[in-house]
PDB file of all heavy atoms in Angstrom:
ATOM      1  N   GLU A 288      14.647  -9.372 -14.662  1.00  0.00           N
ATOM      2  CA  GLU A 288      14.988 -10.574 -13.818  1.00  0.00           C
ATOM      3  C   GLU A 288      15.210  -9.879 -12.453  1.00  0.00           C
ATOM      4  O   GLU A 288      15.959  -8.957 -12.256  1.00  0.00           O
ATOM      5  CB  GLU A 288      16.157 -11.246 -14.230  1.00  0.00           C
ATOM      6  CG  GLU A 288      16.063 -12.104 -15.466  1.00  0.00           C
ATOM      7  CD  GLU A 288      15.193 -13.411 -15.400  1.00  0.00           C
ATOM      8  OE1 GLU A 288      14.855 -13.723 -14.305  1.00  0.00           O
ATOM      9  OE2 GLU A 288      14.772 -13.809 -16.487  1.00  0.00           O
ATOM     10  N   PRO A 289      14.481 -10.353 -11.328  1.00  0.00           N
ATOM     11  CA  PRO A 289      14.742  -9.884 -10.019  1.00  0.00           C
ATOM     12  C   PRO A 289      16.027 -10.111  -9.601  1.00  0.00           C
ATOM     13  O   PRO A 289      16.747 -11.283  -9.869  1.00  0.00           O
ATOM     14  CB  PRO A 289      13.676 -10.632  -9.084  1.00  0.00           C
ATOM     15  CG  PRO A 289      12.710 -11.229 -10.106  1.00  0.00           C
ATOM     16  CD  PRO A 289      13.475 -11.467 -11.414  1.00  0.00           C
ATOM     17  N   THR A 290      16.660  -9.167  -8.912  1.00  0.00           N
ATOM     18  CA  THR A 290      18.041  -9.289  -8.305  1.00  0.00           C
ATOM     19  C   THR A 290      18.013  -8.734  -6.821  1.00  0.00           C
ATOM     20  O   THR A 290      16.934  -8.110  -6.420  1.00  0.00           O
ATOM     21  CB  THR A 290      19.087  -8.420  -8.992  1.00  0.00           C
ATOM     22  OG1 THR A 290      18.659  -7.172  -9.283  1.00  0.00           O
ATOM     23  CG2 THR A 290      19.390  -9.061 -10.423  1.00  0.00           C
ATOM     24  N   THR A 291      19.099  -8.814  -6.137  1.00  0.00           N
ATOM     25  CA  THR A 291      19.230  -8.197  -4.746  1.00  0.00           C
ATOM     26  C   THR A 291      20.445  -7.372  -4.706  1.00  0.00           C
ATOM     27  O   THR A 291      21.461  -7.636  -5.110  1.00  0.00           O
ATOM     28  CB  THR A 291      19.423  -9.310  -3.757  1.00  0.00           C
ATOM     29  OG1 THR A 291      18.284 -10.106  -3.647  1.00  0.00           O
ATOM     30  CG2 THR A 291      19.699  -8.708  -2.364  1.00  0.00           C
ATOM     31  N   HIS A 292      20.056  -6.035  -4.391  1.00  0.00           N
ATOM     32  CA  HIS A 292      21.102  -4.959  -4.385  1.00  0.00           C
ATOM     33  C   HIS A 292      21.546  -4.865  -2.906  1.00  0.00           C
ATOM     34  O   HIS A 292      20.774  -5.095  -1.918  1.00  0.00           O
ATOM     35  CB  HIS A 292      20.458  -3.544  -4.845  1.00  0.00           C
ATOM     36  CG  HIS A 292      19.997  -3.576  -6.245  1.00  0.00           C
ATOM     37  ND1 HIS A 292      20.874  -3.097  -7.190  1.00  0.00           N
ATOM     38  CD2 HIS A 292      19.020  -4.060  -6.853  1.00  0.00           C
ATOM     39  CE1 HIS A 292      20.197  -3.269  -8.397  1.00  0.00           C
ATOM     40  NE2 HIS A 292      19.062  -3.826  -8.189  1.00  0.00           N
ATOM     41  N   GLN A 293      22.783  -4.442  -2.796  1.00  0.00           N
ATOM     42  CA  GLN A 293      23.357  -4.126  -1.439  1.00  0.00           C
ATOM     43  C   GLN A 293      23.227  -2.672  -1.002  1.00  0.00           C
ATOM     44  O   GLN A 293      23.964  -1.827  -1.793  1.00  0.00           O
ATOM     45  CB  GLN A 293      24.840  -4.616  -1.230  1.00  0.00           C
ATOM     46  CG  GLN A 293      24.920  -6.181  -1.541  1.00  0.00           C
ATOM     47  CD  GLN A 293      23.933  -6.946  -0.597  1.00  0.00           C
ATOM     48  OE1 GLN A 293      24.120  -6.810   0.660  1.00  0.00           O
ATOM     49  NE2 GLN A 293      23.394  -7.977  -1.211  1.00  0.00           N
ATOM     50  N   GLY A 294      22.489  -2.246  -0.222  1.00  0.00           N
ATOM     51  CA  GLY A 294      22.315  -0.823   0.178  1.00  0.00           C
ATOM     52  C   GLY A 294      21.317  -0.185  -0.592  1.00  0.00           C
ATOM     53  O   GLY A 294      21.078  -0.434  -1.666  1.00  0.00           O
ATOM     54  N   ILE A 295      20.611   0.810  -0.031  1.00  0.00           N
ATOM     55  CA  ILE A 295      19.569   1.567  -0.718  1.00  0.00           C
ATOM     56  C   ILE A 295      20.011   2.542  -1.670  1.00  0.00           C
ATOM     57  O   ILE A 295      19.286   2.908  -2.536  1.00  0.00           O
ATOM     58  CB  ILE A 295      18.512   2.186   0.321  1.00  0.00           C
ATOM     59  CG1 ILE A 295      19.073   3.280   1.070  1.00  0.00           C
ATOM     60  CG2 ILE A 295      17.764   1.098   1.145  1.00  0.00           C
ATOM     61  CD1 ILE A 295      17.953   4.102   1.766  1.00  0.00           C
ATOM     62  N   SER A 296      21.372   3.017  -1.465  1.00  0.00           N
ATOM     63  CA  SER A 296      21.636   4.202  -2.242  1.00  0.00           C
ATOM     64  C   SER A 296      23.090   4.040  -2.908  1.00  0.00           C
ATOM     65  O   SER A 296      24.040   3.462  -2.299  1.00  0.00           O
ATOM     66  CB  SER A 296      21.708   5.463  -1.354  1.00  0.00           C
ATOM     67  OG  SER A 296      20.502   5.634  -0.752  1.00  0.00           O
ATOM     68  N   VAL A 297      23.169   4.506  -4.203  1.00  0.00           N
ATOM     69  CA  VAL A 297      24.414   4.618  -4.837  1.00  0.00           C
ATOM     70  C   VAL A 297      25.362   5.657  -4.094  1.00  0.00           C
ATOM     71  O   VAL A 297      26.643   5.592  -3.840  1.00  0.00           O
ATOM     72  CB  VAL A 297      24.305   4.849  -6.365  1.00  0.00           C
ATOM     73  CG1 VAL A 297      25.700   4.911  -7.054  1.00  0.00           C
ATOM     74  CG2 VAL A 297      23.387   3.954  -6.990  1.00  0.00           C
ATOM     75  N   TRP A 298      24.701   6.734  -3.893  1.00  0.00           N
ATOM     76  CA  TRP A 298      25.304   7.845  -3.087  1.00  0.00           C
ATOM     77  C   TRP A 298      24.128   8.605  -2.430  1.00  0.00           C
ATOM     78  O   TRP A 298      22.957   8.602  -2.823  1.00  0.00           O
ATOM     79  CB  TRP A 298      26.113   8.718  -3.959  1.00  0.00           C
ATOM     80  CG  TRP A 298      25.414   9.442  -5.169  1.00  0.00           C
ATOM     81  CD1 TRP A 298      25.262   8.843  -6.397  1.00  0.00           C
ATOM     82  CD2 TRP A 298      24.612  10.549  -5.184  1.00  0.00           C
ATOM     83  NE1 TRP A 298      24.447   9.747  -7.171  1.00  0.00           N
ATOM     84  CE2 TRP A 298      24.034  10.743  -6.468  1.00  0.00           C
ATOM     85  CE3 TRP A 298      24.190  11.529  -4.084  1.00  0.00           C
ATOM     86  CZ2 TRP A 298      23.087  11.731  -6.755  1.00  0.00           C
ATOM     87  CZ3 TRP A 298      23.479  12.646  -4.495  1.00  0.00           C
ATOM     88  CH2 TRP A 298      22.836  12.716  -5.724  1.00  0.00           C
ATOM     89  N   GLY A 299      24.606   9.524  -1.447  1.00  0.00           N
ATOM     90  CA  GLY A 299      23.589  10.353  -0.746  1.00  0.00           C
ATOM     91  C   GLY A 299      22.580   9.701   0.111  1.00  0.00           C
ATOM     92  O   GLY A 299      22.848   8.662   0.743  1.00  0.00           O
TER      93      GLY A 299
END
Side-chain angles (χ1 to χ4, degrees):
E288 293 289 341
T290 50
T291 296
H292 297 263
Q293 299 304 314
I295 64 165
S296 308
V297 181
W298 58 266

